[in-house]
Structure formats: C-alpha cells, structure tokens
Amino acid sequence: MDHAADAHRTDLMTITRHVLNEQSRNPESRGDFTILLSHIVLGCKFVASAVNKAGLAQLIGLAGETNVQGEEQKKLDVLSNEVFVKALVSSGRTCVLVSEEDEEATFVDPKLRGKYCVCFDPLDGSSNIDCGVSIGTIFGIYMIKDKDNVTLADVLQPGKDMLAAGYCMYGSSCTLVLSTGSGVNGFTLDPSLGEFILTHPDIKIPKKGKIYSVNEGNAKNWDVPVAKFVEKCKYPEDGTPPKSLRYIGSMVADVHRTLLYGGVFLYPADQKSPNGKLRVLYEVFPMSFLMEQAGGQSFTGKERALDLVPTKIHDRSPIFLGSYDDVEEIKALYAEQAKSSSA
C-alpha cells in the first residue's frame, strides 16, 4: 500500500481552507473577505448543478415561456443572476453589485451592507448551452471606501485596484480559478464531497505559446496590427512553426486554455465594434488580473488593460491577453503603427 499517496489524497486543500490560510497571513483581516468568497463559491456550486440538469429541466428554454404547471420558465442565465445576487446580498459583505444581466447597478439595503463591490457575469457564453460547450461565471471584487455613501463613481475604478478576481468554468469538470493578488490557483469541484479541491496550485502561464485564439470571421474589419499579427501566427517569417488556431467562442473556456497552455486570446476592436465587444468591469478586468498574476500580460491596443478607467458600468474594450512574449509582439505592432501614423 502506498501510504504517502493515501495521505496526499486524504489531506485535501479545499478552497475554504486555502482562503483561510491566506487570511491568517494578514493579521488585520476580520474574515469578511473569506465569508464573501464562500458565498460566491456557493453560487458557483448552485449554477454548476443547474447547468448539469439544464437539458433535462428544460432550463434552456427562453425566459418567459411557461411550463406545464403554468409556472414561468427561467432561462439559465436569468436564474444564475438571481442566485448570485441573492448569495452576495445575503453575505452581508457587499454594498454594490454590477451584473452583466442588469442594466443598473444593485445597491444593497443599508442594513445588509459590507465594504465590497462585486462585478460579475453570472453565465458567460450562455448562448452555447444548447450545444454543450463550456460556459462560466466571471467575477471581480473591489473595496469601497465608504459603504454608507456608496455611489456609482465608487464602482468605476481601474482594474489595478481590484482585490481579487476569478472565474468558474462549467465543463467536463467544474473548475474555479482564483487570485487574491498573490498568484493564481485552480480548484476542481469534487461532486462526491461537494467541495472545491486545489488541483492547480500556483498557475503560471508559459512565457510564449503555440496557440492563438480569435474569431477570424471578423478579419475583414480588423485594423492593420491585428491583421499583421494573425498573418505572422499563420506564416512566421523566422522559420518557427505556425501557431495553432483554437477558438471556442466562450470567453471562460478560451481564457482557461490560454492560461494553462499559453498563447494569446484576442478580441480586438474592428469597424463593426470600434470599442471591442467584451465588457470592461466583469470580463476584461478579472481575466486581465488573472493573466498578470500568472505572469502574462493584457493589453487593449492602447494601454495596459488594468490601467483603463471605465466611465459606465457596461463599458466595452478591445482585449489582447495571454503569454508575455506574444502580447509583447502585439504591443510592438501597435507601437509601429502609431509611429508611422504620427510621422
């Protein structure tokens, strides 16, 4: 019998234990952040369970349809949004929430307020549910200075001020990737225990990757640097093999692969969407935060993504994120264009 292996299997690092360990390194912390995260984790478990049952429960149906009992059906993204809003409000640790599903920010009842703001996309890639492609939840957490007088301006902070970010991917397994500002860790849901177990400690993205990920259907609308970069991926001039194209069309799945295998994920601006399509607060910022924490880079075509200051809660931005050297190459192409246009 391999006692060492058995000991390893029985000494499980759950996400709660991991976060409590982090907390014990900060003697001044009062456990508020840990409580908030445990509510986010609960929301993720609920959505994971609902996603697994979606086909059977006909949750895929459009919101507004009624079932045989005459009850209104809730589409999965609407249900996920309600779950997260309720979980976050009931934690007593949030004062304002921004969701992709809600046009306005949600200000928490003063009696239940805490010091955190959470921006989230409850179910990213939900149009892919019908065909079984991985989908996910993305979240970013900020501190609010004055919870009793919180305004929308307090939410519109640059990404570099974020305290923590993560995503939960509902796919062949349910994986939660989290950073609290000191590295990136990945946890996998063990369905028999109902617990997220640490399976990917201290994730580091390779410095250079062999994969590029972009919707090439938009190629005719791209600007020159993007077109040049993708051309170089396919027809390298330095004798290296061409990069492989992998594009799922679900941001969580594409970024997850990029984080583990290296490479670059790009959703650039184009003539059709001059500001890009991905939303700053709950897609661009959390994923950029994770990439930088894992040793990668994130760039908007103009600046470091985390330096952006949003002006509205649903602002959009172009994004290039992934392996350090690959993003460096994109930055050089944009710098070259800026130089030639100012010449």
Side-chain angles (χ1 to χ4, degrees):
M1 243 178 113
D2 187 348
H3 289 295
D6 279 351
H8 180 69
R9 276 195 292 272
T10 52
D11 185 25
L12 300 173
M13 178 60 80
T14 65
I15 192 163
T16 312
R17 181 176 157 195
H18 176 80
V19 173
L20 285 168
N21 284 356
E22 295 274 299
Q23 183 192 316
S24 63
R25 290 198 197 111
N26 301 311
E28 73 285 355
S29 66
R30 300 194 353 256
D32 287 344
F33 185 69
T34 309
I35 291 166
L36 174 62
L37 266 174
S38 71
H39 280 73
I40 291 174
V41 167
L42 178 64
C44 292
K45 287 178 189 172
F46 184 98
V47 174
S49 163
V51 167
N52 282 338
K53 293 195 284 241
L56 295 168
Q58 290 180 322
L59 284 166
I60 290 166
L62 294 170
E65 285 181 0
T66 50
N67 63 14
V68 287
Q69 281 84 26
E71 297 164 339
E72 195 175 283
Q73 288 280 39
K74 280 193 177 146
K75 204 176 166 196
L76 203 47
D77 44 8
V78 177
L79 180 74
S80 305
N81 187 49
E82 281 186 18
V83 166
F84 276 103
V85 169
K86 285 175 178 161
L88 291 165
V89 170
S90 66
S91 72
R93 301 299 182 274
T94 58
C95 54
V96 59
L97 309 174
V98 173
S99 166
E100 190 263 347
E101 290 287 323
D102 298 325
E103 218 166 300
E104 305 291 332
T106 302
F107 290 94
V108 178
D109 178 343
K111 294 195 290 294
L112 290 168
R113 274 187 193 173
K115 58 187 175 185
Y116 297 108
C117 159
V118 183
C119 303
F120 60 99
D121 186 342
L123 208 59
D124 184 71
S126 53
S127 60
N128 287 314
I129 296 167
D130 296 19
C131 59
V133 169
S134 295
I135 50 183
T137 299
I138 310 172
F139 60 90
I141 303 172
Y142 291 94
M143 176 88 79
I144 298 291
K145 291 179 189 70
D146 182 359
K147 65 176 187 185
D148 298 316
N149 300 301
V150 62
T151 65
L152 212 49
D154 296 314
V155 179
L156 302 171
Q157 302 185 33
K160 61 185 177 193
D161 292 349
M162 203 174 259
L163 290 182
Y167 60 80
C168 187
M169 185 174 74
Y170 315 109
S172 54
S173 61
C174 177
T175 310
L176 197 150
V177 173
L178 174 71
S179 174
T180 53
S182 49
V184 181
N185 292 284
F187 303 82
T188 303
L189 183 63
D190 181 336
S192 62
L193 296 172
E195 286 281 7
F196 279 100
I197 308 297
L198 180 64
T199 48
H200 297 73
D202 197 20
I203 297 170
K204 290 278 177 254
I205 185 170
K207 197 156 188 295
K208 193 171 177 58
K210 297 176 181 154
I211 296 171
Y212 73 105
S213 185
V214 65
N215 181 354
E216 289 222 36
N218 295 330
K220 79 179 179 81
N221 298 318
W222 287 343
D223 61 15
V224 175
V226 175
K228 270 190 183 169
F229 176 75
V230 171
E231 191 67 11
K232 276 172 78 175
C233 290
K234 293 195 254 194
Y235 305 101
E237 291 151 15
D238 55 4
T240 55
K243 285 187 182 341
S244 296
L245 169 66
R246 296 282 182 273
Y247 187 69
I248 298 164
S250 175
M251 189 193 191
V252 173
D254 278 313
V255 169
H256 187 65
R257 184 203 53 250
T258 305
L259 194 59
L260 296 184
Y261 299 164
V264 63
F265 169 82
L266 35 156
Y267 208 120
D270 57 35
Q271 288 154 23
K272 213 169 53 181
S273 315
N275 297 320
K277 266 191 95 173
L278 297 176
R279 272 66 54 104
V280 172
L281 279 176
Y282 41 81
E283 288 173 330
V284 170
F285 279 170
M287 294 311 201
S288 300
F289 185 87
L290 289 165
M291 274 300 161
E292 286 199 5
Q293 285 292 322
Q297 283 199 81
S298 184
F299 179 62
T300 66
K302 293 191 177 82
E303 60 186 322
R304 173 189 175 212
L306 293 179
D307 288 341
L308 258 181
V309 182
T311 54
K312 296 194 285 295
I313 61 171
H314 297 297
D315 266 3
R316 297 171 189 261
S317 166
I319 187 70
F320 306 87
L321 50 79
S323 293
Y324 194 93
D325 290 356
D326 293 322
V327 177
E328 203 58 36
E329 220 171 292
I330 295 169
K331 285 161 80 171
L333 289 166
Y334 271 100
E336 195 181 296
Q337 189 198 37
K339 210 157 77 179
S340 62
S341 60
S342 64

